[in-house]
């Protein structure tokens, strides 16, 4: 059974990107593939893009779609084996995952990190337990650790706009008033490691991502230096990994401005806080790819669902 839990489930990024770009030209080309199949999308957290683009992708493949805001409407779940369930949780994930599998041929799960307990977050309790106990394939719609649908859409966007064989791509931390997960940044790093690029990560001291993910990526604490001659600047806030889940600084000097961006293309997964993460002049310019990234979410999801339907 093929799941899509992380970018490791992609056998060839180039092939998947090429197939997604073909689907973009003819979204209904595989409309028969999903006939009489149902996808269930379970949201433990809010969403705009993931929710709508994954539904759209499934509909392009002829699937029926069930969406549930599990976080606010489902029973509170227990994840530990052997627990005496006399506290808050009303249902064990063992039953929940098997029950959803009776109604759905594919299950999508969105469950963010708590940013409280690193061990639990890294175990991806919700996603991994659904993958363990469901009898159908599971798709990661953003977990504690990664957002592989976003990263695949970002790969599509970069391929569409890249002029160079080996573009310079910078992942820059930006300020934000709230503590945000590292998932988007993690998956972007993993995706960049899967392709030819001059890739640099820039962030203030204390904001190193998990070194098991960044491995031997170049890290530069001088943002101006990192951004020099960039072709693509991917901007994202994340909370500290070492001081887990903490906001160590909101230094506005890390906001991306038109001047800092230069001739580069601006990328962000959205939602974005204007004039905190990036100034209006960037988002409202032709340098911004954010709407195209959001559009490519449909074709990233569609290629993932298509591969799953073809193999199951
Ligand atoms: N980029 C992204 O995943 O957007 P949503 O949180 O709105 O789904």
């Amino acid at each position: 059974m093929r799941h899509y839990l992380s970018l490791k489930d992609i056998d060839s990024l180039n092939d998947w990107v090429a197939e997604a770009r073909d689907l973009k030209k003819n979204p209904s080309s595989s409309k028969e593939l999903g006939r009489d199949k149902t996808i269930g999308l379970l949201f433990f957290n809010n969403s705009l893009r993931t929710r709508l683009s994954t539904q759209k992708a499934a509909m392009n493949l002829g699937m029926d779609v069930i969406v549930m805001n599990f976080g606010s409407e489902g029973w509170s779940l227990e994840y530990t084996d052997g627990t005496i369930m006399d506290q808050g949780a009303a249902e064990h994930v063992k039953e929940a995952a098997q029950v959803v599998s009776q109604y759905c041929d594919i299950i999508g799960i969105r469950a963010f990190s708590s940013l409280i307990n690193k061990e639990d977050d890294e175990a991806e309790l919700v996603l991994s337990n659904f993958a363990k106990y469901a009898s159908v394939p599971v798709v990661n719609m953003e977990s504690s650790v990664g957002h592989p649908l976003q990263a695949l859409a970002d790969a599509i966007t970069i391929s569409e706009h890249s002029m160079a064989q080996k573009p310079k791509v910078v992942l820059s931390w930006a300020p934000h008033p709230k503590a945000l997960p590292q998932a988007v940044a993690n998956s972007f790093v993993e995706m960049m490691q899967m392709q030819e690029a001059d890739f640099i990560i820039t962030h203030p001291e204390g904001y190193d991502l998990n070194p098991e993910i960044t491995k031997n990526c170049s890290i530069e604490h001088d943002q101006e230096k990192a951004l020099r001659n960039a072709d693509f600047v991917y901007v994202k806030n994340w909370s500290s990994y070492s001081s887990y889940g903490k906001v160590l600084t909101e230094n506005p000097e890390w906001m991306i401005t038109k001047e800092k961006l230069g001739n580069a293309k601006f990328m962000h997964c959205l939602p974005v806080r204007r004039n905190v993460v990036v100034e209006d002049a960037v988002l409202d310019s032709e340098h911004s790819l954010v709407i195209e990234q959001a559009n490519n979410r449909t074709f990233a999801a569609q290629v993932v669902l298509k591969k799953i339907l073809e193999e199951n």
Side-chain angles (χ1 to χ4, degrees):
M1 180 165 66
R2 178 193 272 274
H3 294 301
Y4 185 69
L5 303 180
S6 78
L7 290 169
K8 292 185 183 73
D9 294 315
I10 295 179
D11 44 25
S12 163
L13 181 62
N14 284 344
D15 289 353
W16 285 42
V17 165
E19 193 166 343
R21 290 180 65 175
D22 285 344
L23 287 169
K24 190 174 180 178
K25 285 181 207 141
N26 191 359
S28 300
S29 56
S30 300
K31 196 94 182 178
E32 286 302 306
L33 192 61
R35 184 205 278 267
D36 297 331
K37 303 276 185 188
T38 300
I39 186 167
L41 306 178
L42 307 186
F43 285 88
F44 291 77
N45 303 97
N46 296 347
S47 169
L48 189 164
R49 280 143 289 272
T50 306
R51 181 168 176 155
L52 298 187
S53 64
T54 311
Q55 285 191 63
K56 175 88 176 158
M59 292 188 301
N60 284 346
L61 292 165
M63 300 186 81
D64 293 318
V65 185
I66 299 172
V67 182
M68 181 171 180
N69 295 320
F70 208 105
S72 55
E73 295 165 356
W75 298 111
S76 172
L77 295 184
E78 174 61 48
Y79 297 95
T80 313
D81 252 349
T83 312
I84 298 169
M85 287 174 55
D86 58 357
Q87 299 296 310
E91 180 158 28
H92 202 283
V93 68
K94 280 186 188 181
E95 280 78 50
Q98 291 179 74
V99 167
V100 178
S101 304
Q102 307 307 304
Y103 313 137
C104 302
D105 301 282
I106 301 176
I107 302 173
I109 301 284
R110 163 163 286 201
F112 292 171
S113 47
S114 66
L115 293 178
I116 297 166
N117 184 321
K118 188 191 269 191
E119 231 171 65
D120 283 355
D121 284 348
E122 297 205 321
E124 301 196 295
L125 283 184
V126 184
L127 182 72
S128 64
N129 278 297
F130 266 89
K132 183 173 173 186
Y133 294 116
S135 54
V136 298
V138 171
V139 173
N140 181 353
M141 300 195 300
E142 187 172 344
S143 64
S144 331
V145 176
H147 196 354
L149 286 177
Q150 180 66 52
L152 182 54
D154 298 336
I156 298 165
T157 311
I158 289 174
S159 84
E160 289 174 329
H161 288 272
S162 193
M163 299 294 189
Q165 186 75 20
K166 194 178 172 189
K168 178 172 176 182
V169 181
V170 182
L171 170 63
S172 179
W173 180 93
H176 197 282
K178 290 177 71 177
L180 297 187
Q182 295 104 19
V184 168
N186 287 342
S187 288
F188 188 77
V189 169
E190 287 175 335
M191 183 273 287
M192 289 312 304
Q193 289 165 341
M194 293 165 75
Q195 60 178 284
E196 275 285 292
D198 173 11
F199 179 55
I200 302 178
I201 306 171
T202 183
H203 56 70
E205 301 273 357
Y207 277 95
D208 291 83
L209 293 162
N210 181 349
E212 286 179 22
I213 291 173
T214 54
K215 294 183 184 129
N216 48 11
C217 285
S218 303
I219 295 168
E220 171 59 64
H221 295 300
D222 181 339
Q223 189 193 40
E224 197 184 318
K225 195 169 160 193
L227 294 178
R228 216 168 280 155
N229 299 321
D231 295 301
F232 296 91
V233 178
Y234 198 99
V235 178
K236 184 72 186 83
N237 171 272
W238 59 87
S239 56
S240 175
Y241 179 75
S242 51
S243 302
Y244 194 65
K246 298 275 183 303
V247 175
L248 306 179
T249 177
E250 291 180 47
N251 185 352
E253 287 179 15
W254 278 80
M255 181 177 78
I256 296 295
T257 62
K258 197 173 177 213
E259 191 185 349
K260 283 187 196 174
L261 189 69
N263 289 322
K265 297 287 188 190
F266 173 82
M267 298 181 73
H268 190 285
C269 61
L270 302 181
V272 69
R273 289 188 182 231
R274 283 175 171 255
N275 304 308
V276 175
V277 171
V278 54
E279 67 176 5
D280 284 341
V282 171
L283 278 173
D284 296 333
S285 78
E286 289 183 353
H287 289 265
S288 174
L289 299 181
V290 298
I291 304 303
E292 292 185 52
Q293 286 174 262
N295 185 30
N296 283 334
R297 289 295 308 274
T298 298
F299 307 105
Q302 195 168 333
V303 76
V304 168
L305 299 182
K306 181 170 179 281
K307 299 255 179 214
I308 291 174
L309 288 169
E310 283 168 346
E311 289 187 21
N312 289 280

